[in-house]
Structures are given as structure tokens and as C-alpha cells.
Amino acid sequence: VNSTFKKPPKDLDAVNLLVTAYGMVVTWFQWSEVLKRLTGKDPLSDVALTARKRHVRAVLSLMLGQLEQKAGR
């Protein structure tokens, strides 16, 4: 996955990345009924969970890539 940032944001740090990642996972389950009402689809179906897992992994890859750039690797 390629990043669109030429340079990582200066305020990007591990603690905030951890909280963001946690939120991406927990929110999906915590608000599943709201998501179901908004989309008309079951966010806990096998298809939806597979798509969500793929999305979260892609976003985490971008985030970790930016953290590695910040660390100078």
C-alpha cells in the first residue's frame, strides 16, 4: 500500500496510533446496530467482517509505514 504523504506528519506518534487502531476495531462492534440501521447491511456478517479486516489491515499498514518513516527507517 502506497502512502500519499511525502513526509510523515510531525505529530504522528505510537500512542495515538494505538488509540486509533483500537478505535477502528472496537467501534465496529460497539456500534454494529447503528451501522446496520444506517447501511441496511449486517456489519457482523462473514462478508462484512472479512471486508472490515482487510480495510483495517490496509489502514494499519499505512499508519505503521508513516511511523517507520518518522523513525527514519
Side-chain angles (χ1 to χ4, degrees):
V1 179
N2 291 332
S3 173
T4 58
F5 293 117
K6 293 187 192 288
K7 291 183 180 179
K10 291 181 181 182
D11 59 349
L12 192 64
D13 65 71
V15 172
N16 280 307
L17 291 175
L18 178 63
V19 171
T20 300
Y22 180 80
M24 285 191 303
V25 174
V26 172
T27 300
W28 189 262
F29 294 96
Q30 186 174 3
W31 294 97
S32 62
E33 285 301 315
V34 173
L35 291 170
K36 187 174 185 176
R37 282 185 260 146
L38 289 172
T39 66
K41 298 177 182 176
D42 181 7
L44 301 180
S45 72
D46 288 343
V47 170
L49 289 174
T50 298
R52 184 65 182 166
K53 181 164 67 169
R54 195 172 31 245
H55 174 80
V56 169
R57 285 180 174 176
V59 172
L60 288 175
S61 176
L62 288 170
M63 289 168 41
L64 292 173
Q66 291 300 308
L67 189 60
E68 286 175 353
Q69 279 185 14
K70 183 178 177 185
R73 293 185 204 162

